[in-house]
């Protein structure tokens, strides 16, 4: 009997897992005892961290796209389609074209979605770098922005790449200083809880840097509405801020497919945070943003989790106890300007301790971004 593994989602977690399994299960694949299918709703993978650099003219959107068939091992079946229904009782997936397939093991790596329409006026009045089109549009706005109020508002958590809002204001501050415009532009940063970042250790590290650079902070600011005509953003708490350029981290949501399948009320799969197994179904795993583990929605998380799921699936296929576990490991570079960065590494037990910013760490982040495609292919 052939064991069928289906991976839904061809982002970082899905592609790294597919290549990991192709390596681990090579004998079984060659013998026809295992079939691995990667399902994605488009032919390309997008490396979203590139979008942070697009507004500052440091990268082009094309730098963040590659075809899946150039990233994934040739033994993996790639199916370009959209999953519309998951039946975990019958272990069957249905697709947008009306077809269906059965699985023995299912891995969900469907990621997060941005939902700007949740906030009145945000679609019309805000700019973001969490989408390709948003990053391109923001680049044009920044190039013509020479004076006034620049507001960066984090609207809701969790969101992809938790460090990216801090990175943007640090980079914008430095970029504007280099162009001789900083004295004519005020920068304000808002965050929905009482500190400037969700992790208290990172927040404690970031606040003095923001104070030193005269970046104003509005914490406990939960955006309620935006008035594009008046160029104001108002919070649930009753605070109103004027802006001339509004950059936002839009509200994020899970995937309706997950809710419909009964795997998680908010569109993220409720999992055991160590094994990454779904709580509500057998032989179902989730990783990356899709897994509700409490760790940041970062690419490194998906990468480490893919290794754990790969080991567990290989053990199960071979009839051995699955013992590999995920310890919450996360690593992240944090840009602190146009030519300096910090670095953090932490897990479930050990909190982050940001490294002193340096040019060396900045170049390390850029080097990682350049080598990402090798990582996705399983070559690093």
């Amino acid at each position: 009997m052939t064991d069928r593994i289906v991976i839904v989602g061809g982002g970082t977690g899905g592609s790294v897992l597919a290549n990991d399994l192709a390596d681990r299960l090579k004998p079984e694949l060659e013998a026809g005892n295992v079939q691995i299918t990667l399902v994605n709703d488009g032919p390309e993978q997008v490396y979203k961290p590139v979008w942070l650099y697009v507004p500052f003219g440091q990268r082009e959107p094309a730098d963040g796209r590659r075809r899946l068939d150039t990233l994934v091992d040739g033994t993996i079946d790639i199916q370009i389609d959209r999953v519309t229904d998951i039946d975990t009782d019958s272990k069957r997936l249905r697709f947008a074209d009306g077809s269906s397939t059965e699985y023995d093991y299912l891995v969900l790596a469907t990621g997060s979605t941005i939902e700007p329409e949740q906030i009145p006026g945000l679609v019309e009045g805000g700019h973001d770098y969490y989408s390709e089109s948003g990053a391109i549009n923001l680049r044009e706005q920044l190039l013509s922005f020479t004076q006034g109020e620049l507001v960066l508002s984090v609207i809701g958590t969790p969101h992809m790449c938790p460090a990216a809002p801090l990175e943007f204001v640090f980079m914008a501050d430095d970029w504007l200083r280099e162009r001789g415009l900083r004295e004519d532009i005020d920068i304000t940063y808002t965050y929905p809880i009482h500190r400037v970042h969700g992790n208290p250790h990172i927040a404690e590290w970031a606040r003095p840097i923001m104070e030193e650079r005269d970046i104003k902070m509005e914490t406990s600011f939960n955006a309620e509405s935006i008035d594009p005509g008046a160029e104001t953003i108002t919070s649930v708490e009753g605070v109103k801020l004027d802006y001339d350029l509004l950059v936002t981290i839009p509200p994020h949501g899970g995937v309706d497919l997950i809710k419909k399948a009964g795997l998680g009320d908010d569109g993220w799969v409720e999992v055991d945070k160590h094994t990454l197994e779904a709580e509500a179904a057998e032989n179902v795993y989730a990783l990356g943003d899709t897994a509700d583990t409490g760790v940041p929605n970062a690419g490194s998380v998906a990468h480490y989790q893919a290794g754990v799921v790969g080991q567990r699936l290989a053990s199960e296929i071979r009839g051995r106890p699955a013992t590999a576990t995920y310890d919450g490991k996360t690593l992240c570079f944090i840009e602190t300007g146009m030519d300096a960065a910090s670095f953090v590494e932490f897990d479930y037990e050990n909190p982050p301790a940001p490294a002193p910013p340096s040019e060396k760490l900045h170049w390390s982040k850029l080097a990682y971004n350049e080598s990402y495609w090798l990582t996705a292919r399983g070559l690093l």
Side-chain angles (χ1 to χ4, degrees), residues 151-342:
V151 174
L152 182 287
S153 186
V154 179
I155 303 178
T157 57
H159 56 78
M160 292 178 279
C161 194
L166 292 173
E167 291 184 292
F168 181 85
V169 291
F170 290 150
M171 292 172 71
D173 169 74
D174 202 8
W175 188 75
L176 291 168
R177 290 182 191 278
E178 290 177 356
R179 300 178 68 218
L181 297 172
R182 185 63 172 92
E183 290 186 359
D184 298 318
I185 295 175
D186 291 326
I187 300 177
T188 299
Y189 173 96
T190 84
Y191 203 75
I193 61 174
H194 64 282
R195 52 181 181 259
V196 299
H197 190 272
N199 186 289
H201 302 277
I202 295 176
E204 183 179 0
W205 164 82
R207 178 174 276 274
I209 300 175
M210 300 173 88
E211 291 173 343
E212 179 185 352
R213 298 191 187 182
D214 197 27
I215 298 170
K216 293 180 283 188
M217 292 163 275
E218 285 282 348
T219 54
S220 298
F221 185 99
N222 290 271
E224 181 178 44
S225 64
I226 293 159
D227 186 335
E231 294 189 325
T232 59
I233 176 171
T234 303
S235 73
V236 173
E237 295 80 9
V239 177
K240 181 181 290 187
L241 298 176
D242 295 321
Y243 68 82
D244 295 288
L245 177 59
L246 176 63
V247 183
T248 68
I249 311 305
H252 282 49
V255 178
D256 288 340
L257 178 71
I258 303 299
K259 290 186 280 189
K260 184 179 176 183
L263 295 170
D265 293 338
D266 297 322
W268 290 286
V269 180
E270 296 172 5
V271 297
D272 181 300
K273 71 177 186 177
H274 294 290
T275 68
L276 305 172
E277 294 175 292
E279 300 280 8
E282 293 183 353
N283 295 341
V284 176
Y285 287 89
L287 52 81
D289 294 5
T290 311
D292 186 5
T293 60
V295 296
N297 293 353
S300 67
V301 169
H303 192 144
Y304 292 126
Q305 291 177 342
V308 170
V309 174
Q311 291 181 62
R312 294 186 67 84
L313 285 174
S315 295
E316 292 184 30
I317 292 291
R318 291 167 178 160
R320 303 169 186 165
T323 59
T325 56
Y326 174 60
D327 63 1
K329 185 174 181 180
T330 306
L331 63 83
C332 181
F333 290 95
I334 307 174
E335 296 281 21
T336 55
M338 299 306 294
D339 59 4
S342 178

Side-chain angles (χ1 to χ4, degrees), residues 8-17 38-40 44-46 68 109 302 372 376:
V8 181
T12 297
S15 60
V16 170
L17 175 60
L38 175 63
V39 182
N40 198 56
E44 293 183 323
Q45 181 187 128
V46 176
L68 276 174
Y372 168 74

Side-chain angles (χ1 to χ4, degrees), residues 98-155:
S99 65
S100 66
T101 189
E102 294 181 337
Y103 66 84
D104 296 294
Y105 300 94
L106 175 65
V107 183
L108 297 169
T110 49
S112 299
T113 59
I114 59 172
E115 301 177 347
E117 64 279 357
Q118 285 189 19
I119 305 297
L122 178 55
V123 173
E124 301 84 5
H127 304 278
D128 75 83
Y129 51 95
Y130 271 58
S131 64
E132 182 175 325
S133 60
I136 294 170
N137 187 41
L138 181 55
R139 177 176 61 190
E140 302 308 312
Q141 296 295 319
L142 277 175
L143 286 172
S144 62
F145 188 58
T146 58
Q147 62 180 1
E149 299 282 343
L150 169 60
V151 174
L152 182 287
S153 186
V154 179
I155 303 178

Side-chain angles (χ1 to χ4, degrees), residues 1-3 5 21-36 313-315 317-320:
M1 183 182 73
T2 300
D3 286 306
I5 301 172
L21 289 171
D23 182 54
R24 291 184 193 277
L25 296 174
K26 184 177 180 180
E28 287 83 356
L29 284 163
E30 291 178 345
N33 295 326
V34 171
Q35 179 185 31
I36 304 172
L313 285 174
S315 295
I317 292 291
R318 291 167 178 160
R320 303 169 186 165

